[in-house]
Amino acid sequence: MTFACSSIRTRLEEGVLWATLDAGPLNLLGVDLVRDLVSLVDTLDDDPGDVRVLVIDSASPDYFSAHVDLTAVPQYTAEAAKAGGPDDASLGMFLHRLSRVPAITIAKVRGRARGGGNELALACDMTFASRENAVFGQFECGTGALPGAGGIQHLTRRLGRARAIEAVAGAADFTADLAERYGWIKRALPDAELDGFVEHLAGRIAGFPPQGSGPPSARSTTSRWRSPRTSATTPPPSRP
């Protein structure tokens, strides 16, 4: 498997592909980062090789991803469309595709994951976060808009209707501890333990016989985990 890009640093270690977002201090989902994420997903779909687990984290300790780049909506939309064609010209459709890659996906979050950045984390199978430093939020209602790349759908499934309304309509930030309590994320851990925990879990999953999570040769590693009740099997209405 080969993958080269400018805004994501990658390394492959014993079945675990580490993808570190490195698009400036905010990691805005703009042209470069969306282009590179599309390329990463294309590579995993076309030639995953020995990749069993994909871990997405950030080079910035303060921002996992702040949001989309609102100054470049047409441009990043055009890049997202390359993941599925002109009829799929949305960030939501691309993140839906990310949620279906033939690998277990983990978001390791430090700093802020808000708006589109939070929706990127929600598209992953599991999210683990720094108790001291991670913040989650869907702030769009505060600007007169709605989350458009899966935030409403994922949060409703994970949190339940009432708590999802609180999260979306209230447009507030959630600490990692509260996000864990609500079911928004899988687990909040002390910052000093986060890296080791995710490294151990990812390596443990990758080290098991592939038949346990789905044979890579069948390109269906995680399909058994994704029923209509637990995944974005119905693509969300998305921001352009």
Side-chain angles (χ1 to χ4, degrees):
M1 173 183 173
T2 58
F3 178 75
C5 63
S6 61
S7 64
I8 302 176
R9 302 198 316 247
T10 61
R11 73 180 193 275
L12 179 61
E13 296 178 348
E14 299 182 342
V16 180
L17 178 62
W18 299 84
T20 300
L21 309 181
D22 191 10
L26 301 181
N27 279 331
L28 292 176
L29 292 171
V31 177
D32 292 340
L33 188 50
V34 171
R35 178 190 298 128
D36 291 340
L37 285 168
V38 169
S39 178
L40 176 62
V41 169
D42 282 343
T43 301
L44 286 173
D45 279 340
D46 295 340
D47 183 22
D50 296 327
V51 176
R52 300 284 310 287
V53 181
L54 169 66
V55 179
I56 300 176
D57 61 5
S58 171
S60 169
D62 300 316
Y63 290 91
F64 176 78
S65 176
H67 189 35
V68 300
D69 185 351
L70 292 174
T71 69
V73 174
Q75 294 91 336
Y76 80 65
T77 297
E79 295 300 327
K82 295 176 183 178
D87 293 335
D88 296 339
S90 69
L91 184 62
M93 291 301 300
F94 164 66
L95 292 179
H96 171 62
R97 187 172 168 210
L98 172 62
S99 74
R100 308 294 296 181
V101 297
I104 298 292
T105 52
I106 297 173
K108 185 179 75 174
V109 177
R110 281 190 175 90
R112 294 181 176 271
R114 303 176 76 228
N118 177 61
E119 289 164 329
L120 172 61
L122 287 171
C124 295
D125 296 312
M126 296 179 282
T127 299
F128 300 99
S130 165
R131 176 168 289 137
E132 297 92 336
N133 299 324
V135 176
F136 299 86
Q138 293 288 166
F139 64 85
E140 289 88 343
C141 282
T143 68
L146 286 171
I152 292 175
Q153 292 79 5
H154 283 296
L155 289 175
T156 300
R157 291 175 181 129
R158 294 189 184 191
L159 277 60
R161 180 177 181 273
R163 284 179 169 176
I165 291 173
E166 175 192 351
V168 173
D173 287 342
F174 281 63
T175 65
D177 280 334
L178 185 56
E180 178 191 52
R181 197 176 109 200
Y182 271 34
W184 191 317
I185 65 174
K186 182 67 182 70
R187 191 181 302 189
L189 296 113
D191 187 79
E193 299 176 13
L194 179 63
D195 293 338
F197 176 86
V198 172
E199 182 175 354
H200 174 75
L201 177 63
R204 182 175 172 85
I205 294 171
F208 288 144
Q211 293 79 7
S213 56
S217 60
R219 306 280 74 89
S220 60
T221 307
T222 57
S223 61
R224 72 182 63 189
W225 306 111
R226 297 186 173 118
S227 69
R229 289 183 177 272
T230 59
S231 70
T233 53
T234 302
S238 177
R239 62 174 59 89

